[in-house]
Amino acid sequence: MADMKRIDVVFEGIGRTTGKMRNDIHVDWPAQGESFDLATDEGPFHGGDGTAPPPLALFTAALTGCLMTQIRAFAKRLKIEIGEVEVRARLHWYCEAAPGEPYVSHPVGFDLDVDLDSPASLDDRMRLLDAAKKGCFLEQTLSQGLTVGHRLRDGEDWIDA
Amino acid sequence: MADMKRIDVVFEGIGRTTGKMRNDIHVDWPAQGESFDLATDEGPFHGGDGTAPPPLALFTAALTGCLMTQIRAFAKRLKIEIGEVEVRARLHWYCEAAPGEPYVSHPVGFDLDVDLDSPASLDDRMRLLDAAKKGCFLEQTLSQGLTVGHRLRDGEDWIDA
């Protein structure tokens, strides 16, 4: 395993409430020296002003875009010729609540249909998609599962929560 | 359980390649009649033109914004008074590759530090954060884990991939 090459990828975000339901989130990718100003909001139905997409819309774009990016990056590396790529995504959750209780949400299933404009054989296209799935940071995180860590500020202290 | 109220939440996306590494992703939330035009790109280091944030920046904003949205929604429901909310996120992955092979990515850990401007007791703030974690669609998906389904188009057929 001495020849394995490892790269750490760290993103940092600072989110602040800036409207009734709007959040402005400054995202840094320190290793690349890149930063991005993003925002989420909710529509009037959920008490927001609709000034930005809801978090799940950003997530849908992130998941779809992550796989598409890996498909193109790995096509070059595996020397599999592709032209345009179209991916259709369907992400399904449900939430449920007992009367008077906060709701609890659950994933049902996420499905991505991939259409590659490519003269490559089905075998090669399957090999490419397989590599892209394994390279996709978000799919790998979802399939391996991960419990997010939390701390809550209490005065000058940070309490594990 | 007859009194449980269930709501299904479905987001759909169509992603298309529109630049060297850019993807334009049209996201629909059919139940709300809302749609959002989003995009991802990569910087020059990864062969892109830097015209949009990378997928992991959208994801960082989605995860941070999702928890923040639930904190505010549940604060009302639980009658816990809060003012401004600040969340600092740190998302860590790594990828590794054997020589000449495509890389495989792995999550290391995601941490969210939550600072609530609130006169509520620590117990109430902890209770609010706990409800927000259980309501947050993305945290719940991550903690339960989920294998994304894929199909690859082959002529007029769709092959499970």
Side-chain angles (χ1 to χ4, degrees), chain A residues 5 7-9 11 13 15 19 22 72 87 89 91-93 95 97 105 110 112-114 125 135 139-142 146 149-151 154, chain B residues 5 7-9 11 13 15 19 22 72 87 89 91-93 95 97 105 110 112-114 125 135 139-142 146 149-151 153-154:
Chain A
K5 183 179 177 190
I7 298 172
D8 284 273
V9 175
F11 277 72
R22 181 181 167 107
R72 290 212 278 184
V87 172
L91 283 62
H92 184 185
W93 294 267
C95 58
S105 56
F110 299 170
L112 300 177
D113 285 351
V114 178
R125 283 179 288 137
E139 289 207 20
Q140 289 285 101
T141 306
L142 290 167
L146 181 149
H150 299 82
R151 296 189 308 169
D154 189 41
Chain B
K5 183 178 175 190
I7 298 172
D8 284 90
V9 175
F11 278 71
R22 181 182 168 104
R72 289 211 278 183
V87 173
L91 284 61
H92 184 185
W93 295 267
C95 58
S105 56
F110 300 170
L112 300 178
D113 284 350
V114 177
R125 283 179 288 137
E139 288 207 21
Q140 288 286 100
T141 306
L142 290 167
L146 180 148
H150 298 82
R151 297 188 309 168
R153 184 170 183 169
D154 189 42

Short mmCIF file of all heavy atoms in Angstrom, two decimals, chain A residues 5 7-9 11 13 15 19 22 72 87 89 91-93 95 97 105 110 112-114 125 135 139-142 146 149-151 154, chain B residues 5 7-9 11 13 15 19 22 72 87 89 91-93 95 97 105 110 112-114 125 135 139-142 146 149-151 153-154:
data_model
loop_
_atom_site.label_atom_id
_atom_site.label_comp_id
_atom_site.label_asym_id
_atom_site.label_seq_id
_atom_site.Cartn_x
_atom_site.Cartn_y
_atom_site.Cartn_z
N LYS A 5 -1.76 6.99 -3.13
CA LYS A 5 -1.69 8.44 -3.00
C LYS A 5 -2.96 8.93 -2.32
O LYS A 5 -4.06 8.58 -2.76
CB LYS A 5 -1.57 9.06 -4.39
CG LYS A 5 -1.40 10.57 -4.36
CD LYS A 5 -1.28 11.13 -5.76
CE LYS A 5 -1.18 12.64 -5.72
NZ LYS A 5 -1.31 13.23 -7.06
N ILE A 7 -5.24 12.20 -0.73
CA ILE A 7 -5.47 13.64 -0.68
C ILE A 7 -6.63 13.90 0.27
O ILE A 7 -7.70 13.29 0.15
CB ILE A 7 -5.82 14.21 -2.08
CG1 ILE A 7 -4.66 13.99 -3.05
CG2 ILE A 7 -6.16 15.70 -1.99
CD1 ILE A 7 -5.01 14.34 -4.49
N ASP A 8 -6.41 14.81 1.23
CA ASP A 8 -7.51 15.23 2.12
C ASP A 8 -8.27 16.39 1.49
O ASP A 8 -7.68 17.27 0.87
CB ASP A 8 -6.95 15.65 3.48
CG ASP A 8 -6.58 14.42 4.30
OD1 ASP A 8 -7.46 13.88 4.99
OD2 ASP A 8 -5.42 13.98 4.21
N VAL A 9 -9.57 16.36 1.63
CA VAL A 9 -10.44 17.40 1.07
C VAL A 9 -11.29 17.95 2.21
O VAL A 9 -12.08 17.21 2.82
CB VAL A 9 -11.34 16.81 -0.04
CG1 VAL A 9 -12.33 17.86 -0.54
CG2 VAL A 9 -10.49 16.27 -1.18
N PHE A 11 -13.80 21.17 3.41
CA PHE A 11 -14.60 22.37 3.15
C PHE A 11 -15.08 22.93 4.49
O PHE A 11 -15.45 22.17 5.39
CB PHE A 11 -15.82 22.04 2.28
CG PHE A 11 -15.51 21.99 0.80
CD1 PHE A 11 -14.78 20.94 0.27
CD2 PHE A 11 -15.96 22.99 -0.05
CE1 PHE A 11 -14.48 20.90 -1.09
CE2 PHE A 11 -15.67 22.96 -1.41
CZ PHE A 11 -14.93 21.92 -1.94
N GLY A 13 -17.65 25.99 6.33
CA GLY A 13 -18.76 26.92 6.08
C GLY A 13 -19.07 27.72 7.33
O GLY A 13 -18.91 27.24 8.45
N GLY A 15 -22.46 29.77 8.48
CA GLY A 15 -23.83 30.14 8.14
C GLY A 15 -24.39 31.12 9.14
O GLY A 15 -24.19 30.95 10.35
N GLY A 19 -32.56 36.46 7.25
CA GLY A 19 -33.92 36.82 6.88
C GLY A 19 -34.85 35.93 7.69
O GLY A 19 -34.39 35.20 8.57
N ARG A 22 -34.06 32.87 5.73
CA ARG A 22 -32.87 32.87 4.88
C ARG A 22 -31.59 32.66 5.71
O ARG A 22 -31.46 33.21 6.80
CB ARG A 22 -32.76 34.20 4.13
CG ARG A 22 -31.55 34.26 3.20
CD ARG A 22 -31.46 35.61 2.48
NE ARG A 22 -30.17 35.76 1.83
CZ ARG A 22 -29.96 35.69 0.50
NH1 ARG A 22 -30.98 35.49 -0.32
NH2 ARG A 22 -28.74 35.82 0.01
N ARG A 72 -16.90 12.90 -15.97
CA ARG A 72 -16.03 13.55 -16.96
C ARG A 72 -14.55 13.45 -16.57
O ARG A 72 -13.69 13.27 -17.44
CB ARG A 72 -16.46 14.99 -17.16
CG ARG A 72 -17.80 15.01 -17.91
CD ARG A 72 -17.92 16.20 -18.77
NE ARG A 72 -18.35 17.32 -17.97
CZ ARG A 72 -18.62 18.52 -18.46
NH1 ARG A 72 -18.47 18.74 -19.76
NH2 ARG A 72 -19.04 19.48 -17.69
N VAL A 87 -27.97 13.75 -16.68
CA VAL A 87 -28.33 12.93 -15.52
C VAL A 87 -29.66 13.43 -14.98
O VAL A 87 -29.84 14.63 -14.74
CB VAL A 87 -27.25 13.00 -14.41
CG1 VAL A 87 -27.73 12.29 -13.14
CG2 VAL A 87 -25.96 12.35 -14.90
N ALA A 89 -32.22 13.09 -11.85
CA ALA A 89 -32.19 12.70 -10.44
C ALA A 89 -33.58 12.75 -9.84
O ALA A 89 -34.38 13.64 -10.17
CB ALA A 89 -31.27 13.64 -9.67
N LEU A 91 -34.98 12.44 -5.86
CA LEU A 91 -34.62 12.26 -4.45
C LEU A 91 -35.90 12.28 -3.63
O LEU A 91 -36.69 13.23 -3.73
CB LEU A 91 -33.68 13.38 -3.99
CG LEU A 91 -32.22 13.29 -4.43
CD1 LEU A 91 -32.05 13.32 -5.94
CD2 LEU A 91 -31.41 14.41 -3.80
N HIS A 92 -36.09 11.26 -2.86
CA HIS A 92 -37.37 11.07 -2.16
C HIS A 92 -37.11 10.87 -0.65
O HIS A 92 -36.35 10.00 -0.26
CB HIS A 92 -38.06 9.83 -2.75
CG HIS A 92 -39.42 9.56 -2.20
ND1 HIS A 92 -40.16 8.44 -2.54
CD2 HIS A 92 -40.21 10.24 -1.32
CE1 HIS A 92 -41.32 8.46 -1.89
NE2 HIS A 92 -41.39 9.53 -1.16
N TRP A 93 -37.73 11.73 0.13
CA TRP A 93 -37.71 11.60 1.59
C TRP A 93 -39.18 11.60 2.08
O TRP A 93 -40.08 11.97 1.34
CB TRP A 93 -37.08 12.82 2.26
CG TRP A 93 -35.65 13.08 2.05
CD1 TRP A 93 -34.61 12.67 2.84
CD2 TRP A 93 -35.04 13.88 1.02
NE1 TRP A 93 -33.42 13.16 2.36
CE2 TRP A 93 -33.65 13.91 1.26
CE3 TRP A 93 -35.52 14.59 -0.09
CZ2 TRP A 93 -32.74 14.60 0.44
CZ3 TRP A 93 -34.64 15.27 -0.90
CH2 TRP A 93 -33.26 15.28 -0.63
N CYS A 95 -41.31 12.80 5.91
CA CYS A 95 -41.21 13.16 7.32
C CYS A 95 -42.54 12.83 7.96
O CYS A 95 -43.58 12.80 7.29
CB CYS A 95 -40.84 14.63 7.50
SG CYS A 95 -41.97 15.80 6.74
N ALA A 97 -44.83 13.02 11.86
CA ALA A 97 -44.91 13.60 13.19
C ALA A 97 -46.12 13.06 13.93
O ALA A 97 -47.19 12.88 13.34
CB ALA A 97 -45.01 15.12 13.10
N SER A 105 -37.52 13.20 9.97
CA SER A 105 -37.44 12.92 8.53
C SER A 105 -36.63 11.66 8.25
O SER A 105 -35.81 11.22 9.08
CB SER A 105 -36.84 14.12 7.78
OG SER A 105 -35.59 14.47 8.32
N PHE A 110 -32.81 7.57 -3.46
CA PHE A 110 -32.30 8.53 -4.44
C PHE A 110 -31.95 7.75 -5.70
O PHE A 110 -31.25 6.73 -5.61
CB PHE A 110 -31.02 9.22 -3.95
CG PHE A 110 -31.15 10.02 -2.67
CD1 PHE A 110 -30.02 10.50 -2.05
CD2 PHE A 110 -32.38 10.30 -2.09
CE1 PHE A 110 -30.10 11.24 -0.88
CE2 PHE A 110 -32.47 11.05 -0.91
CZ PHE A 110 -31.32 11.51 -0.31
N LEU A 112 -30.49 8.04 -9.80
CA LEU A 112 -29.85 8.84 -10.84
C LEU A 112 -29.83 8.05 -12.14
O LEU A 112 -29.26 6.96 -12.19
CB LEU A 112 -28.41 9.20 -10.43
CG LEU A 112 -28.24 10.00 -9.14
CD1 LEU A 112 -26.75 10.21 -8.83
CD2 LEU A 112 -28.93 11.36 -9.24
N ASP A 113 -30.46 8.59 -13.18
CA ASP A 113 -30.45 7.99 -14.51
C ASP A 113 -29.41 8.72 -15.36
O ASP A 113 -29.50 9.94 -15.53
CB ASP A 113 -31.83 8.10 -15.17
CG ASP A 113 -32.83 7.13 -14.58
OD1 ASP A 113 -32.41 6.24 -13.79
OD2 ASP A 113 -34.02 7.25 -14.90
N VAL A 114 -28.48 7.96 -15.91
CA VAL A 114 -27.32 8.55 -16.58
C VAL A 114 -27.36 8.25 -18.07
O VAL A 114 -27.45 7.09 -18.48
CB VAL A 114 -26.01 7.97 -15.97
CG1 VAL A 114 -24.79 8.52 -16.69
CG2 VAL A 114 -25.95 8.26 -14.48
N ARG A 125 -18.79 1.90 -20.68
CA ARG A 125 -19.62 2.92 -20.03
C ARG A 125 -20.00 2.51 -18.60
O ARG A 125 -20.04 3.32 -17.69
CB ARG A 125 -20.86 3.21 -20.87
CG ARG A 125 -20.55 4.11 -22.08
CD ARG A 125 -21.78 4.37 -22.92
NE ARG A 125 -22.18 3.17 -23.65
CZ ARG A 125 -23.43 2.74 -23.78
NH1 ARG A 125 -24.43 3.41 -23.26
NH2 ARG A 125 -23.69 1.64 -24.48
N GLY A 135 -15.73 7.40 -6.89
CA GLY A 135 -15.02 8.66 -6.71
C GLY A 135 -15.90 9.77 -6.17
O GLY A 135 -15.40 10.75 -5.62
N GLU A 139 -21.85 10.37 -2.92
CA GLU A 139 -22.40 9.00 -2.94
C GLU A 139 -21.66 8.10 -1.95
O GLU A 139 -22.27 7.26 -1.28
CB GLU A 139 -22.30 8.39 -4.34
CG GLU A 139 -23.26 9.02 -5.31
CD GLU A 139 -23.65 8.06 -6.42
OE1 GLU A 139 -23.51 6.84 -6.28
OE2 GLU A 139 -24.12 8.56 -7.45
N GLN A 140 -20.36 8.26 -1.87
CA GLN A 140 -19.59 7.43 -0.94
C GLN A 140 -19.96 7.74 0.50
O GLN A 140 -20.04 6.84 1.35
CB GLN A 140 -18.09 7.66 -1.15
CG GLN A 140 -17.57 7.08 -2.45
CD GLN A 140 -17.43 5.57 -2.37
OE1 GLN A 140 -18.28 4.83 -2.87
NE2 GLN A 140 -16.38 5.10 -1.74
N THR A 141 -20.19 9.01 0.79
CA THR A 141 -20.58 9.39 2.15
C THR A 141 -21.95 8.81 2.48
O THR A 141 -22.17 8.25 3.56
CB THR A 141 -20.62 10.93 2.29
OG1 THR A 141 -19.36 11.45 1.87
CG2 THR A 141 -20.88 11.34 3.72
N LEU A 142 -22.87 8.92 1.52
CA LEU A 142 -24.21 8.39 1.75
C LEU A 142 -24.16 6.88 1.96
O LEU A 142 -24.81 6.35 2.86
CB LEU A 142 -25.12 8.72 0.56
CG LEU A 142 -25.50 10.20 0.42
CD1 LEU A 142 -26.12 10.45 -0.95
CD2 LEU A 142 -26.46 10.62 1.53
N LEU A 146 -22.79 8.31 7.99
CA LEU A 146 -21.95 9.19 8.81
C LEU A 146 -22.83 9.94 9.79
O LEU A 146 -23.86 10.50 9.40
CB LEU A 146 -21.22 10.16 7.88
CG LEU A 146 -20.25 11.16 8.50
CD1 LEU A 146 -19.13 11.46 7.52
CD2 LEU A 146 -20.96 12.45 8.85
N GLY A 149 -21.20 15.31 13.79
CA GLY A 149 -20.88 15.76 15.15
C GLY A 149 -21.40 17.17 15.39
O GLY A 149 -21.42 17.98 14.46
N HIS A 150 -21.86 17.45 16.61
CA HIS A 150 -22.39 18.78 16.93
C HIS A 150 -21.83 19.27 18.25
O HIS A 150 -21.66 18.48 19.19
CB HIS A 150 -23.92 18.74 17.10
CG HIS A 150 -24.65 18.32 15.89
ND1 HIS A 150 -24.81 17.01 15.56
CD2 HIS A 150 -25.26 19.03 14.90
CE1 HIS A 150 -25.49 16.93 14.42
NE2 HIS A 150 -25.77 18.13 14.00
N ARG A 151 -21.60 20.56 18.31
CA ARG A 151 -21.34 21.22 19.59
C ARG A 151 -22.25 22.43 19.68
O ARG A 151 -22.56 23.07 18.66
CB ARG A 151 -19.88 21.67 19.68
CG ARG A 151 -18.90 20.50 19.66
CD ARG A 151 -17.47 20.94 19.98
NE ARG A 151 -17.05 22.05 19.15
CZ ARG A 151 -15.95 22.75 19.37
NH1 ARG A 151 -15.17 22.46 20.40
NH2 ARG A 151 -15.61 23.75 18.58
N ASP A 154 -22.16 27.45 24.83
CA ASP A 154 -22.79 27.84 26.09
C ASP A 154 -21.84 28.82 26.77
O ASP A 154 -20.87 28.42 27.42
CB ASP A 154 -23.03 26.61 26.96
CG ASP A 154 -23.87 26.94 28.19
OD1 ASP A 154 -24.84 27.71 28.05
OD2 ASP A 154 -23.54 26.46 29.29
N LYS B 5 -48.81 11.95 11.16
CA LYS B 5 -49.00 12.69 9.91
C LYS B 5 -47.74 12.51 9.06
O LYS B 5 -46.63 12.75 9.55
CB LYS B 5 -49.22 14.16 10.23
CG LYS B 5 -49.49 15.00 8.99
CD LYS B 5 -49.75 16.45 9.37
CE LYS B 5 -49.89 17.28 8.09
NZ LYS B 5 -49.90 18.71 8.40
N ILE B 7 -45.66 13.29 5.41
CA ILE B 7 -45.53 14.10 4.20
C ILE B 7 -44.37 13.58 3.38
O ILE B 7 -43.26 13.41 3.90
CB ILE B 7 -45.29 15.60 4.55
CG1 ILE B 7 -46.47 16.16 5.34
CG2 ILE B 7 -45.06 16.41 3.29
CD1 ILE B 7 -46.21 17.55 5.89
N ASP B 8 -44.61 13.31 2.10
CA ASP B 8 -43.52 12.92 1.20
C ASP B 8 -42.88 14.16 0.59
O ASP B 8 -43.58 15.12 0.24
CB ASP B 8 -44.05 12.00 0.09
CG ASP B 8 -44.28 10.60 0.62
OD1 ASP B 8 -45.40 10.34 1.10
OD2 ASP B 8 -43.35 9.80 0.59
N VAL B 9 -41.58 14.14 0.49
CA VAL B 9 -40.82 15.27 -0.07
C VAL B 9 -39.96 14.73 -1.21
O VAL B 9 -39.10 13.87 -1.00
CB VAL B 9 -39.93 15.91 1.01
CG1 VAL B 9 -39.04 17.00 0.42
CG2 VAL B 9 -40.78 16.47 2.15
N PHE B 11 -37.67 15.82 -4.63
CA PHE B 11 -36.99 16.79 -5.48
C PHE B 11 -36.50 16.07 -6.73
O PHE B 11 -36.04 14.93 -6.66
CB PHE B 11 -35.78 17.42 -4.76
CG PHE B 11 -36.15 18.55 -3.85
CD1 PHE B 11 -36.83 18.32 -2.66
CD2 PHE B 11 -35.83 19.86 -4.18
CE1 PHE B 11 -37.18 19.37 -1.81
CE2 PHE B 11 -36.17 20.92 -3.33
CZ PHE B 11 -36.84 20.67 -2.16
N GLY B 13 -34.10 16.55 -10.40
CA GLY B 13 -33.09 17.38 -11.06
C GLY B 13 -32.79 16.86 -12.45
O GLY B 13 -32.88 15.66 -12.69
N GLY B 15 -29.54 17.37 -14.90
CA GLY B 15 -28.23 17.98 -15.07
C GLY B 15 -27.70 17.78 -16.48
O GLY B 15 -27.84 16.69 -17.04
N GLY B 19 -20.07 23.06 -20.07
CA GLY B 19 -18.75 23.68 -20.19
C GLY B 19 -17.73 22.57 -19.99
O GLY B 19 -18.09 21.41 -19.88
N ARG B 22 -18.34 22.34 -16.30
CA ARG B 22 -19.57 22.93 -15.76
C ARG B 22 -20.78 22.04 -16.02
O ARG B 22 -20.91 21.44 -17.10
CB ARG B 22 -19.81 24.31 -16.38
CG ARG B 22 -21.06 25.01 -15.86
CD ARG B 22 -21.30 26.36 -16.53
NE ARG B 22 -22.62 26.88 -16.23
CZ ARG B 22 -22.88 27.87 -15.37
NH1 ARG B 22 -21.88 28.47 -14.74
NH2 ARG B 22 -24.12 28.27 -15.16
N ARG B 72 -34.72 27.02 13.25
CA ARG B 72 -35.69 28.12 13.33
C ARG B 72 -37.13 27.63 13.26
O ARG B 72 -38.01 28.15 13.95
CB ARG B 72 -35.39 29.15 12.26
CG ARG B 72 -34.09 29.88 12.65
CD ARG B 72 -34.10 31.27 12.16
NE ARG B 72 -33.71 31.30 10.76
CZ ARG B 72 -33.58 32.42 10.07
NH1 ARG B 72 -33.83 33.58 10.62
NH2 ARG B 72 -33.19 32.38 8.82
N VAL B 87 -23.81 28.97 12.52
CA VAL B 87 -23.33 27.59 12.49
C VAL B 87 -22.02 27.55 11.71
O VAL B 87 -21.93 28.07 10.59
CB VAL B 87 -24.36 26.65 11.84
CG1 VAL B 87 -23.78 25.24 11.65
CG2 VAL B 87 -25.63 26.57 12.70
N ALA B 89 -19.32 25.03 10.05
CA ALA B 89 -19.27 23.65 9.56
C ALA B 89 -17.87 23.30 9.11
O ALA B 89 -17.15 24.15 8.54
CB ALA B 89 -20.23 23.50 8.38
N LEU B 91 -16.28 20.00 6.98
CA LEU B 91 -16.57 18.72 6.32
C LEU B 91 -15.25 18.18 5.78
O LEU B 91 -14.55 18.85 5.02
CB LEU B 91 -17.57 18.91 5.18
CG LEU B 91 -19.04 19.12 5.57
CD1 LEU B 91 -19.25 20.36 6.42
CD2 LEU B 91 -19.91 19.18 4.33
N HIS B 92 -14.93 16.97 6.16
CA HIS B 92 -13.62 16.39 5.84
C HIS B 92 -13.80 15.04 5.14
O HIS B 92 -14.48 14.15 5.66
CB HIS B 92 -12.84 16.22 7.17
CG HIS B 92 -11.45 15.72 7.01
ND1 HIS B 92 -10.65 15.42 8.08
CD2 HIS B 92 -10.69 15.47 5.90
CE1 HIS B 92 -9.46 15.01 7.65
NE2 HIS B 92 -9.46 15.02 6.34
N TRP B 93 -13.23 14.95 3.97
CA TRP B 93 -13.16 13.69 3.22
C TRP B 93 -11.69 13.41 2.88
O TRP B 93 -10.85 14.28 2.97
CB TRP B 93 -13.87 13.80 1.87
CG TRP B 93 -15.33 14.00 1.84
CD1 TRP B 93 -16.30 13.04 1.77
CD2 TRP B 93 -16.05 15.25 1.80
NE1 TRP B 93 -17.55 13.61 1.70
CE2 TRP B 93 -17.43 14.97 1.73
CE3 TRP B 93 -15.65 16.60 1.83
CZ2 TRP B 93 -18.41 15.96 1.67
CZ3 TRP B 93 -16.63 17.59 1.78
CH2 TRP B 93 -17.98 17.27 1.71
N CYS B 95 -9.53 11.17 -0.43
CA CYS B 95 -9.59 10.23 -1.54
C CYS B 95 -8.21 9.63 -1.69
O CYS B 95 -7.20 10.23 -1.34
CB CYS B 95 -10.06 10.90 -2.82
SG CYS B 95 -9.07 12.28 -3.38
N ALA B 97 -5.77 6.75 -4.23
CA ALA B 97 -5.69 6.01 -5.49
C ALA B 97 -4.40 5.22 -5.53
O ALA B 97 -3.35 5.68 -5.08
CB ALA B 97 -5.72 6.99 -6.66
N SER B 105 -13.15 7.78 -2.95
CA SER B 105 -13.27 8.78 -1.89
C SER B 105 -13.98 8.22 -0.67
O SER B 105 -14.74 7.24 -0.76
CB SER B 105 -13.98 10.03 -2.41
OG SER B 105 -15.23 9.71 -2.95
N PHE B 110 -17.93 15.07 9.64
CA PHE B 110 -18.55 16.38 9.45
C PHE B 110 -18.90 16.90 10.84
O PHE B 110 -19.52 16.19 11.64
CB PHE B 110 -19.86 16.27 8.65
CG PHE B 110 -19.74 15.70 7.27
CD1 PHE B 110 -20.90 15.37 6.56
CD2 PHE B 110 -18.53 15.50 6.64
CE1 PHE B 110 -20.84 14.86 5.27
CE2 PHE B 110 -18.44 14.99 5.35
CZ PHE B 110 -19.60 14.66 4.67
N LEU B 112 -20.54 20.29 13.04
CA LEU B 112 -21.29 21.54 13.02
C LEU B 112 -21.31 22.13 14.43
O LEU B 112 -21.79 21.49 15.37
CB LEU B 112 -22.74 21.29 12.56
CG LEU B 112 -22.93 20.70 11.16
CD1 LEU B 112 -24.42 20.47 10.88
CD2 LEU B 112 -22.35 21.61 10.09
N ASP B 113 -20.77 23.35 14.55
CA ASP B 113 -20.78 24.07 15.83
C ASP B 113 -21.89 25.11 15.77
O ASP B 113 -21.92 25.96 14.87
CB ASP B 113 -19.44 24.79 16.05
CG ASP B 113 -18.35 23.81 16.47
OD1 ASP B 113 -18.66 22.64 16.76
OD2 ASP B 113 -17.17 24.23 16.49
N VAL B 114 -22.80 25.04 16.74
CA VAL B 114 -24.03 25.83 16.70
C VAL B 114 -24.02 26.88 17.81
O VAL B 114 -23.86 26.54 18.99
CB VAL B 114 -25.26 24.90 16.87
CG1 VAL B 114 -26.55 25.70 16.90
CG2 VAL B 114 -25.28 23.85 15.78
N ARG B 125 -32.13 24.62 24.84
CA ARG B 125 -31.37 24.75 23.59
C ARG B 125 -30.90 23.39 23.08
O ARG B 125 -30.89 23.12 21.88
CB ARG B 125 -30.19 25.71 23.80
CG ARG B 125 -30.65 27.19 23.82
CD ARG B 125 -29.47 28.13 24.04
NE ARG B 125 -29.00 28.05 25.42
CZ ARG B 125 -27.72 28.01 25.79
NH1 ARG B 125 -26.76 28.04 24.89
NH2 ARG B 125 -27.40 27.96 27.07
N GLY B 135 -35.07 16.38 12.47
CA GLY B 135 -35.87 16.89 11.37
C GLY B 135 -35.06 17.17 10.12
O GLY B 135 -35.61 17.24 9.02
N GLU B 139 -29.04 15.36 7.50
CA GLU B 139 -28.39 14.63 8.60
C GLU B 139 -29.01 13.25 8.78
O GLU B 139 -28.32 12.28 9.05
CB GLU B 139 -28.51 15.42 9.91
CG GLU B 139 -27.61 16.64 9.92
CD GLU B 139 -27.22 17.03 11.33
OE1 GLU B 139 -27.28 16.20 12.26
OE2 GLU B 139 -26.84 18.19 11.50
N GLN B 140 -30.33 13.18 8.66
CA GLN B 140 -30.99 11.89 8.82
C GLN B 140 -30.59 10.92 7.72
O GLN B 140 -30.40 9.73 7.95
CB GLN B 140 -32.51 12.08 8.81
CG GLN B 140 -33.05 12.74 10.05
CD GLN B 140 -33.06 11.79 11.24
OE1 GLN B 140 -32.18 11.83 12.09
NE2 GLN B 140 -34.05 10.91 11.30
N THR B 141 -30.43 11.44 6.50
CA THR B 141 -30.02 10.58 5.39
C THR B 141 -28.59 10.10 5.62
O THR B 141 -28.29 8.91 5.43
CB THR B 141 -30.10 11.36 4.07
OG1 THR B 141 -31.41 11.91 3.93
CG2 THR B 141 -29.83 10.45 2.88
N LEU B 142 -27.73 11.00 6.03
CA LEU B 142 -26.34 10.62 6.29
C LEU B 142 -26.26 9.57 7.40
O LEU B 142 -25.54 8.58 7.27
CB LEU B 142 -25.51 11.84 6.68
CG LEU B 142 -25.26 12.84 5.55
CD1 LEU B 142 -24.72 14.15 6.11
CD2 LEU B 142 -24.30 12.27 4.52
N LEU B 146 -27.50 5.40 2.76
CA LEU B 146 -28.38 5.17 1.62
C LEU B 146 -27.51 4.87 0.39
O LEU B 146 -26.55 5.60 0.13
CB LEU B 146 -29.22 6.43 1.39
CG LEU B 146 -30.23 6.43 0.26
CD1 LEU B 146 -31.42 7.30 0.63
CD2 LEU B 146 -29.62 6.93 -1.03
N GLY B 149 -29.41 4.60 -6.24
CA GLY B 149 -29.70 3.73 -7.38
C GLY B 149 -29.28 4.39 -8.68
O GLY B 149 -29.38 5.61 -8.81
N HIS B 150 -28.81 3.60 -9.63
CA HIS B 150 -28.37 4.15 -10.92
C HIS B 150 -28.92 3.32 -12.07
O HIS B 150 -28.98 2.09 -11.96
CB HIS B 150 -26.84 4.12 -11.06
CG HIS B 150 -26.13 4.94 -10.03
ND1 HIS B 150 -25.88 4.46 -8.78
CD2 HIS B 150 -25.63 6.20 -10.07
CE1 HIS B 150 -25.24 5.40 -8.09
NE2 HIS B 150 -25.08 6.46 -8.84
N ARG B 151 -29.24 4.00 -13.15
CA ARG B 151 -29.51 3.32 -14.41
C ARG B 151 -28.69 4.02 -15.49
O ARG B 151 -28.50 5.24 -15.45
CB ARG B 151 -31.00 3.37 -14.77
CG ARG B 151 -31.87 2.65 -13.75
CD ARG B 151 -33.31 2.54 -14.23
NE ARG B 151 -33.85 3.82 -14.65
CZ ARG B 151 -35.00 3.96 -15.32
NH1 ARG B 151 -35.72 2.89 -15.63
NH2 ARG B 151 -35.43 5.15 -15.66
N ARG B 153 -28.38 4.60 -19.62
CA ARG B 153 -29.13 4.46 -20.87
C ARG B 153 -28.31 3.70 -21.90
O ARG B 153 -27.13 3.97 -22.10
CB ARG B 153 -29.46 5.85 -21.43
CG ARG B 153 -30.33 5.74 -22.67
CD ARG B 153 -30.86 7.08 -23.08
NE ARG B 153 -31.74 6.92 -24.23
CZ ARG B 153 -32.53 7.87 -24.68
NH1 ARG B 153 -32.54 9.05 -24.10
NH2 ARG B 153 -33.30 7.65 -25.73
N ASP B 154 -28.96 2.73 -22.55
CA ASP B 154 -28.32 1.99 -23.64
C ASP B 154 -29.33 1.93 -24.79
O ASP B 154 -30.23 1.08 -24.79
CB ASP B 154 -27.95 0.57 -23.16
CG ASP B 154 -27.09 -0.16 -24.18
OD1 ASP B 154 -26.17 0.46 -24.75
OD2 ASP B 154 -27.35 -1.36 -24.41
#
